[in-house]
Amino acid sequence: QVQLVESGGGLVQAGGSLRLSCAASGRTFNNYAMGWFRQAPGKEREFVAAINWNDASTLYADSVKGRFTISRDNAKNTMYLQMNSLKPEDTALYYCAARSPTTSRYDSWGQGTQVTVSS
């Protein structure tokens, strides 16, 4: 069973930076994709970024391109989200998720870490 634990959230001023981490355990992640999602109060959960565990190819939402960078450390089974030039609209609960190659769905989720950006 896949387990995902996020960390690194916090309160930061607009223009600042944070780095989120997602520690994954429970299996090997060959052929998995891992992603970051976020949900702001009163809004639906939205995709932020994803990375292929094998070749590290990446995908970003338009709203974060050029500001956020997703990466992974295979040896540590950990994924990261470096967030720069943060804006108040980035305020949300950030989740990491794993997409199984069997189901092609994000079917494993962490509990989330809060990011708050003050203006």
Side-chain angles (χ1 to χ4, degrees):
Q1 183 177 357
V2 175
Q3 294 181 328
L4 304 172
V5 179
E6 304 95 336
S7 61
L11 173 64
V12 64
Q13 288 188 330
S17 298
L18 283 174
R19 189 176 81 155
L20 305 184
S21 299
C22 173
S25 61
R27 60 158 298 126
T28 58
F29 292 93
N30 290 340
N31 300 316
Y32 268 66
M34 304 284 285
W36 288 98
F37 293 77
R38 66 187 182 186
Q39 187 167 19
K43 295 187 177 181
E44 293 188 353
R45 186 169 58 196
E46 65 175 357
F47 169 79
V48 175
I51 188 165
N52 182 288
W53 205 256
N54 288 1
D55 63 13
S57 57
T58 58
L59 184 66
Y60 295 93
D62 288 344
S63 59
V64 306
K65 277 182 183 176
R67 300 188 298 123
F68 290 10
T69 303
I70 190 171
S71 62
R72 60 70 171 126
D73 184 330
N74 283 7
K76 296 181 179 179
N77 263 10
T78 300
M79 176 177 66
Y80 304 98
L81 186 68
Q82 178 67 43
M83 305 186 294
N84 298 329
S85 302
L86 282 161
K87 304 175 182 179
E89 51 263 44
D90 294 318
T91 295
L93 189 61
Y94 283 70
Y95 299 91
C96 67
R99 189 178 71 191
S100 165
T102 303
T103 66
S104 295
R105 295 172 55 188
Y106 285 98
D107 48 17
S108 297
W109 294 83
Q111 292 194 331
T113 185
Q114 178 68 37
V115 172
T116 303
V117 185
S118 63
S119 57

